[in-house]
Amino acid sequence: MGMKKKLRDIIQFLLILVVLVLVNVIGNFAFHRFDLTSENRYSLNEATLGLLDKVDDRVLFKVYLEGDLEAGFQKLQRETRQMLDEIRAYNRNIEYEFINPSESSDRKEREETYQQLRFKGLQPIQVEVEEKDGQSRRQIFPGALVSYKEQEVAIQILVNQFATSPESQINASVENLEYTLANALRRLTLVKSPSVAVLSGHGELGDRYVADLMMSLSTYYNITRFNLREFVADSITGNVSIQQQMRRLNSYDGVIIAKPTKPFSELDKYLIDQYVMNGGKTLWFIDAVHAEMDSLSYAPQFMAFPIIDQLGLGDMLFRYGVRVNTNLVQDAVAGGVNDRRGVHKWVYFPLIMPQVKHPITKDLNAIRMEFVSTVDTIISPGVKKKILLRTSPYSKAVPTPHIVSLRTLYEPPPDESFRESALPVGVLLEGSFTSMFRNRITPKGTQGESLPLKEKSSPTQMLVVADGDLPKNQVNLVNPNLERGAPLPLGYDQFTGMQFGNKDFILNAVDFMLDDTGLINIRSRELKLRLLDFQKIKGNEWYWKALNTALPVLAVVLFGLFFHWNRKRKFTKKIA
């Protein structure tokens, strides 16, 4: 019996050893990770895995989330570390380190570190910390510097959202972690960039007012100006060719039309129409009403009047499936105007809080608009519409002509007058569009010949926002440390010191239309946030403390008693 038992144990040992060896051998050839969470929160998107396949050299993430952090930032630190571990599991070239920028005890040295991080593009936030001798302010840099080969980019890990609780911002940051980190890899490994044109020739926003947008887009795209009315003449004959101009326009993957103020001719509309028909992506930022804040520099009021018909764009957009109305939105949730005595809410500057669960708008900061109109969607076969931007529940649309007076800055309309809710001001259209020149006479060519016409578009997308100022950055007027007239970051209001989400909205929209990796779709991912009910905890604080303290100890004691009783019972029987 003893020999048989010994032989059986040896065989079992050898079998276990063989199984372990086989598992290790198979593991060298077949790699798989198991995610047992219900929402697959630790499973990487296919787009992220595709980017990781392109990484063939060392990538270093320097994450500045280390040190004495409050609970929210500790959670963000922990989730960032886990996500980096997940990314590293698929590519060993990924490395990371967590750094405390406030580690030095020398104040001067700390300030130099802060200045270097700000210079590289990381934005700090101020937090108040409870200490023994009272409260103190501390700078935290919730971001990272990512280096690959000879390149380095800065990324913000913390999502900044206007008028939301710190807990919500942390949770939104956790949801967007994969996109934030993967987008840095996309930027560093980009080989061929899609091309984007900012149209000119119709009084659109000048270079210094779209400077920050163009600089931000240049990170991922070949961005340039394109004057629709400037034709290239033949070097021999001196003639210009409309079809050549059409080919030049069609060479761009995307086109941005930012606040045109001069009329579009039939030829201009033909070129844009055929660009759309050939699958071009367009972003329209249109003012249907003439209303400029500069007018109040000369008088305490001015007349806002419709201009969409003068531009000649109404019929084109109507055919595509959207109508920009000639009204002005007033919103109780609005941005401020600084009159040097204080900041006053201005009902003509709505703050749009994106609520739509869409990759373009998810977890965005508030978007600041100026003199915006509403949009309506029109039945257009084959075109799907998605309202991305809506006003607050306390808004209204006033018809034009309309007198805009400074009186409303100091005497805003009564709250009960804002009876309209969620007015649409921005819409995404996707599908196959019908040419506006279908069943119409097309413009003639330079030699009088008929121009070719494509009546139905390839599947494409366009964004229409009824505010021409949304992509406009301010120029410096108040900061003595910057050159006067220098472009400021898009979405930053120098008069109130607030940063809004205008730039992120446009960048997301361009990515959604032009990024063929599908990375932007990660933004639509939602994680189930299993939060504690703090009201319930506060009402039963001692109960939960006692339960969490005593129950584990009691469980260990009961298990020990049961184990002792069971062992005593078993061996007592054997002796008997």
Side-chain angles (χ1 to χ4, degrees):
M1 288 292 294
M3 286 296 294
K4 286 183 179 180
K5 185 176 181 303
K6 194 172 184 180
L7 182 62
R8 187 171 65 249
D9 291 342
I10 292 173
I11 292 172
Q12 287 180 348
F13 173 76
L14 291 174
L15 285 173
I16 293 172
L17 188 62
V18 169
V19 170
L20 290 174
V21 171
L22 285 173
V23 168
N24 278 277
V25 171
I26 294 171
N28 286 328
F29 296 97
F31 172 79
H32 188 74
R33 292 172 70 81
F34 296 93
D35 186 351
L36 302 181
T37 58
S38 60
E39 66 272 27
N40 294 323
R41 67 183 300 161
Y42 299 113
S43 296
L44 298 182
N45 187 277
E46 290 297 326
T48 305
L49 297 177
L51 285 171
L52 288 172
D53 289 339
K54 298 178 182 178
V55 175
D56 57 3
D57 203 346
R58 178 175 178 262
V59 177
L60 177 61
F61 287 82
K62 293 182 179 179
V63 185
Y64 293 89
L65 278 173
E66 190 61 80
D68 185 17
L69 304 173
E70 61 174 4
F73 287 106
Q74 287 179 11
K75 175 184 177 181
L76 185 58
Q77 177 201 61
R78 183 172 60 254
E79 294 287 347
T80 304
R81 193 186 301 273
Q82 289 177 347
M83 184 57 68
L84 286 169
D85 284 336
E86 190 67 27
I87 291 174
R88 178 172 164 75
Y90 287 91
N91 192 321
R92 288 297 173 180
N93 287 316
I94 307 297
E95 299 180 10
Y96 67 84
E97 60 177 314
F98 282 74
I99 300 171
N100 180 7
S102 306
E103 186 175 10
S104 175
S105 57
D106 183 23
R107 182 177 179 180
K108 184 178 180 181
E109 189 174 334
R110 284 201 310 272
E111 288 298 327
E112 289 178 354
T113 301
Y114 296 160
Q115 187 174 354
Q116 290 175 4
L117 294 179
R118 283 192 293 266
F119 178 77
K120 290 185 176 183
L122 291 183
Q123 299 299 321
I125 62 169
Q126 299 283 344
V127 296
E128 292 187 352
V129 181
E130 292 283 349
E131 295 183 347
K132 293 181 179 179
D133 53 351
Q135 288 187 335
S136 66
R137 285 184 169 272
R138 183 182 302 168
Q139 287 195 59
I140 294 180
F141 289 82
L145 296 176
V146 190
S147 56
Y148 176 66
K149 295 182 178 179
E150 296 181 356
Q151 304 176 73
E152 185 178 71
V153 298
I155 56 173
Q156 291 295 128
I157 293 175
L158 180 68
V159 172
N160 186 18
Q161 293 178 301
F162 181 80
T164 56
S165 65
E167 293 82 6
S168 298
Q169 293 186 44
I170 293 292
N171 292 333
S173 303
V174 171
E175 283 190 334
N176 284 281
L177 260 178
E178 182 182 352
Y179 174 76
T180 302
L181 300 177
N183 204 31
L185 294 178
R186 171 195 165 203
R187 182 173 173 180
L188 292 168
T189 58
L190 200 62
V191 178
K192 184 180 178 181
S193 305
S195 56
V196 178
V198 179
L199 287 195
S200 59
H202 302 87
E204 290 88 351
L205 293 174
D207 288 343
R208 66 173 181 167
Y209 293 110
V210 292
D212 189 63
L213 175 61
M214 293 184 69
M215 185 179 69
S216 301
L217 284 172
S218 67
T219 303
Y220 304 102
Y221 303 97
N222 291 321
I223 182 81
T224 185
R225 278 280 197 179
F226 183 84
N227 192 321
L228 199 62
R229 292 190 165 181
E230 287 185 356
F231 291 75
V232 177
D234 186 274
S235 57
I236 299 175
T237 64
N239 295 330
V240 297
S241 170
I242 294 175
Q243 294 194 43
Q244 183 185 9
Q245 184 78 336
M246 190 162 57
R247 286 192 294 271
R248 290 177 62 209
L249 181 61
N250 288 343
S251 67
Y252 294 101
D253 300 289
V255 163
I256 298 174
I257 302 169
K259 197 177 181 178
T261 56
K262 296 180 181 178
F264 284 72
S265 67
E266 289 296 296
L267 177 57
D268 297 331
K269 292 193 284 185
Y270 168 80
L271 291 172
I272 296 175
D273 177 80
Q274 290 304 292
Y275 172 77
V276 173
M277 294 305 108
N278 284 282
K281 314 295 177 67
T282 51
L283 291 86
W284 302 82
F285 299 97
I286 306 295
D287 274 349
V289 174
H290 177 78
E292 297 293 336
M293 198 67 181
D294 292 344
S295 301
L296 294 175
S297 302
Y298 308 102
Q301 63 184 31
F302 66 86
M303 179 72 74
F305 56 88
I307 60 170
I308 187 72
D309 290 336
Q310 296 175 24
L311 294 176
L313 295 175
D315 56 347
M316 173 180 278
L317 294 175
F318 190 91
R319 177 59 68 93
Y320 295 154
V322 66
R323 176 174 58 209
V324 182
N325 298 311
T326 55
N327 53 23
L328 279 181
V329 169
Q330 293 183 352
D331 201 323
V333 180
V337 173
N338 193 332
D339 66 351
R340 297 185 181 181
R341 290 176 293 179
V343 177
H344 305 272
K345 184 173 65 176
W346 183 235
V347 292
Y348 295 102
F349 287 1
L351 290 185
I352 308 299
M353 311 290 186
Q355 303 293 328
V356 181
K357 297 299 182 182
H358 190 276
I360 294 177
T361 55
K362 184 173 180 290
D363 296 327
L364 274 189
N365 196 2
I367 296 171
R368 181 179 183 269
M369 292 186 158
E370 298 183 9
F371 300 113
V372 62
S373 302
T374 63
V375 297
D376 292 332
T377 56
I378 309 299
I379 294 176
S380 181
V383 178
K384 182 176 68 174
K385 296 97 175 177
K386 181 73 173 179
I387 302 296
L388 296 182
L389 301 178
R390 293 182 182 272
T391 62
S392 80
Y394 314 102
S395 55
K396 64 179 178 178
V398 296
T400 58
H402 170 76
I403 295 177
V404 177
S405 173
L406 274 176
R407 177 178 295 180
T408 56
L409 187 64
Y410 303 101
E411 300 175 14
D415 292 341
E416 56 269 20
S417 68
F418 297 102
R419 296 179 178 178
E420 297 179 84
S421 174
L423 298 173
V425 294
V427 59
L428 175 71
L429 300 99
E430 301 178 276
S432 295
F433 298 88
T434 301
S435 170
M436 73 161 288
F437 287 95
R438 183 180 181 181
N439 301 324
R440 289 178 55 178
I441 298 175
T442 60
K444 297 295 183 181
T446 52
Q447 305 300 321
E449 77 277 9
S450 296
L451 295 173
L453 178 67
K454 188 174 182 180
E455 295 187 351
K456 198 73 174 177
S457 80
S458 309
T460 187
Q461 301 155 316
M462 69 171 62
L463 175 72
V464 180
V465 179
D467 179 19
D469 290 306
L470 192 146
K472 177 183 177 181
N473 60 254
Q474 295 181 1
V475 295
N476 180 50
L477 297 174
V478 300
N479 190 341
N481 298 319
L482 292 176
E483 181 183 352
R484 187 175 179 83
L488 297 174
L490 175 57
Y492 176 71
D493 181 13
Q494 62 185 319
F495 304 108
T496 60
M498 300 293 294
Q499 177 68 51
F500 300 100
N502 298 38
K503 178 161 66 175
D504 290 334
F505 172 75
I506 299 176
L507 294 181
N508 289 347
V510 175
D511 282 348
F512 181 78
M513 294 180 179
L514 300 184
D515 179 22
D516 56 4
T517 66
L519 190 63
I520 187 68
N521 292 315
I522 300 176
R523 285 180 50 81
S524 61
R525 180 182 186 180
E526 290 189 35
L527 304 179
K528 294 179 181 178
L529 303 172
R530 299 167 177 85
L531 305 177
L532 297 176
D533 187 337
F534 289 102
Q535 293 298 327
K536 197 171 184 180
I537 291 173
K538 191 174 182 180
N540 303 277
E541 183 178 354
W542 288 106
Y543 168 76
W544 292 110
K545 282 184 178 180
L547 184 67
N548 284 299
T549 304
L551 188 61
V553 175
L554 183 62
V556 171
V557 171
L558 290 175
F559 177 77
L561 291 173
F562 173 77
F563 181 79
H564 177 74
W565 171 81
N566 188 52
R567 189 170 182 276
K568 184 177 180 181
R569 180 181 61 83
K570 185 190 296 184
F571 286 100
T572 302
K573 286 182 179 180
K574 285 186 177 182
I575 293 173

